[in-house]
Amino acid sequence: MTSIQFEQGMTIEAIGTACGEYVEMEWRPLYESMHEALTAAFAEIEDAAYGQYLDRLMPPLFEALEQAGYAFTDDVREDDFVIGGRLLFRQSLEKWGTEDNRSRVFWNVIQDADDRTIGTVLTEIPHSHLKFDIPRGPRVLAIAETTKSGITERIRALMEVRGFAQPL
């Protein structure tokens, strides 16, 4: 597994780059190792199979951020649907693509050790609703926006301007 290094004082852009590098290195080997089991699981639990995948892919990244003193501004609530340790469905949009190549974008607003909000990490998860398939690698990007309206507006602009199949 790829080592993830964060330290206090990093910009949100540097954090996003480190997150993106981790996901880029780890997503495919994990996908290939879990594909058979998650294909079978998809037949029973459908999209929840992607949650099982993200429950393995994302926690090391979020744990490394927290160990470096970073925090997430939104606490996990009792009624939240959470995958990957910190991806909250109430902090996501899924509006792009076809049924066999959809894109959901999650966001996590990040604070430094001094409780200063420094920006937001976006995680795009491409997936199929027809079978267990991740048609291209998940992508991570950092943005400066930190309010829900600013974040959702930026996500829409990024997805529409760059096109669905392009990286955020």
Side-chain angles (χ1 to χ4, degrees):
M1 179 156 292
T2 303
S3 174
I4 315 161
Q5 298 295 319
F6 298 106
E7 54 191 54
Q8 283 298 307
M10 292 177 77
T11 64
I12 194 63
E13 293 81 11
I15 289 170
T17 297
C19 292
E21 288 171 355
Y22 163 79
V23 169
E24 187 175 322
M25 293 294 297
E26 296 296 327
W27 85 270
R28 185 171 296 281
L30 180 62
Y31 174 75
E32 290 173 356
S33 73
M34 297 181 75
H35 191 268
E36 186 177 331
L38 292 179
T39 296
F42 188 87
E44 291 183 35
I45 61 174
E46 297 179 346
D47 278 5
Y50 297 109
Q52 291 180 0
Y53 170 76
L54 292 168
D55 284 345
R56 294 268 310 277
L57 178 66
M58 299 305 289
L61 186 150
F62 295 135
E63 290 166 9
L65 272 170
E66 289 177 325
Q67 287 173 359
Y70 292 96
F72 304 94
T73 61
D74 287 301
D75 292 326
V76 176
R77 302 186 309 219
E78 189 175 318
D79 64 339
D80 273 328
F81 185 64
V82 182
I83 59 174
R86 288 298 313 186
L87 299 175
L88 310 178
F89 269 78
R90 68 181 161 88
Q91 292 180 188
S92 73
L93 295 173
E94 181 180 88
K95 299 182 180 288
W96 302 276
T98 59
E99 286 302 296
D100 66 337
N101 192 358
R102 294 287 287 176
S103 192
R104 179 176 292 277
V105 180
F106 292 90
W107 66 85
N108 294 94
V109 179
I110 307 295
Q111 289 180 326
D112 66 14
D114 295 323
D115 295 327
R116 290 183 302 231
T117 302
I118 61 169
T120 301
V121 173
L122 305 179
T123 306
E124 178 193 6
I125 310 298
H127 61 286
S128 172
H129 286 186
L130 304 178
K131 63 180 181 175
F132 182 77
D133 183 43
I134 300 175
R136 58 190 166 74
R139 309 206 197 266
V140 180
L141 175 74
I143 61 173
E145 290 81 356
T146 59
T147 64
K148 182 176 181 176
S149 62
I151 293 165
T152 58
E153 183 178 310
R154 182 72 186 278
I155 290 170
R156 285 184 181 100
L158 286 167
M159 295 301 281
E160 291 166 10
V161 168
R162 293 188 181 197
F164 161 71
Q166 301 302 312
L168 286 174

